[in-house]
Amino acid sequence: MTEKTAITPPTHTTPPAKFSHGVKKGNILQVAGQVGFLPAVEGQPPTPAGDTLRAQTLQTLANVAAVLEEGGAGWEDVIMMRIYLTDTAHFAEFNEIYDAHFADLKSVPAARTTVYVGLPAGLLVEIDALAVLG
């Protein structure tokens, strides 16, 4: 039986509860929901990348990429992404940022975007990803 391996890149804080930033089992890598926190600084609480959707989205994508890389994957390995926005007014801007970020991908993943108001105060976007390696 293939073991599960927890993935926590050095840029991320230790999760505050019993979960992982990512989990790899065999050739499957699930990236847990990431938000727009700047890279972790020991002894300091997580800090949002800014208060704009653009700043937080770009940092969130960087945080997803860090987990993918730590797990041996990249964007081309991602088959599904789920995006959670806190405001329906952000859909068009998010799509613009997303399209520009992934303009060079050979094959884009499936994606689902929804509005979710349960993110911690000040956070505007959360993204998780499922990758298949190999």
Side-chain angles (χ1 to χ4, degrees):
M1 177 175 233
T2 306
E3 293 291 318
K4 287 192 300 187
T5 304
I7 307 293
T8 300
T11 54
H12 287 51
T13 59
T14 301
K18 206 160 176 68
F19 65 87
S20 302
H21 289 290
V23 172
K24 185 176 177 181
K25 184 170 183 176
N27 68 338
I28 303 292
L29 173 60
Q30 175 66 56
V31 178
Q34 301 294 303
V35 294
F37 287 140
L38 294 169
V41 176
E42 194 170 332
Q44 293 184 11
T47 305
D51 59 1
T52 66
L53 181 66
R54 176 170 293 281
Q56 288 191 23
T57 297
L58 293 174
Q59 185 63 54
T60 300
L61 290 167
N63 292 342
V64 172
V67 178
L68 289 169
E69 184 177 317
E70 188 74 13
W75 288 116
E76 291 291 351
D77 299 306
V78 174
I79 62 167
M80 178 65 182
M81 289 180 28
R82 284 174 290 273
I83 298 100
Y84 305 92
L85 300 174
T86 59
D87 188 334
T88 56
H90 289 160
F91 271 93
E93 182 181 5
F94 177 84
N95 287 341
E96 178 184 305
I97 297 163
Y98 182 93
D99 286 350
H101 188 82
F102 293 114
D104 295 333
L105 275 186
K106 288 183 253 172
S107 179
V108 294
R112 175 179 181 263
T113 304
T114 190
V115 174
Y116 174 69
V117 295
L119 294 179
L123 294 177
L124 305 173
V125 60
E126 178 178 332
I127 299 173
D128 70 65
L130 177 64
V132 177
L133 291 75

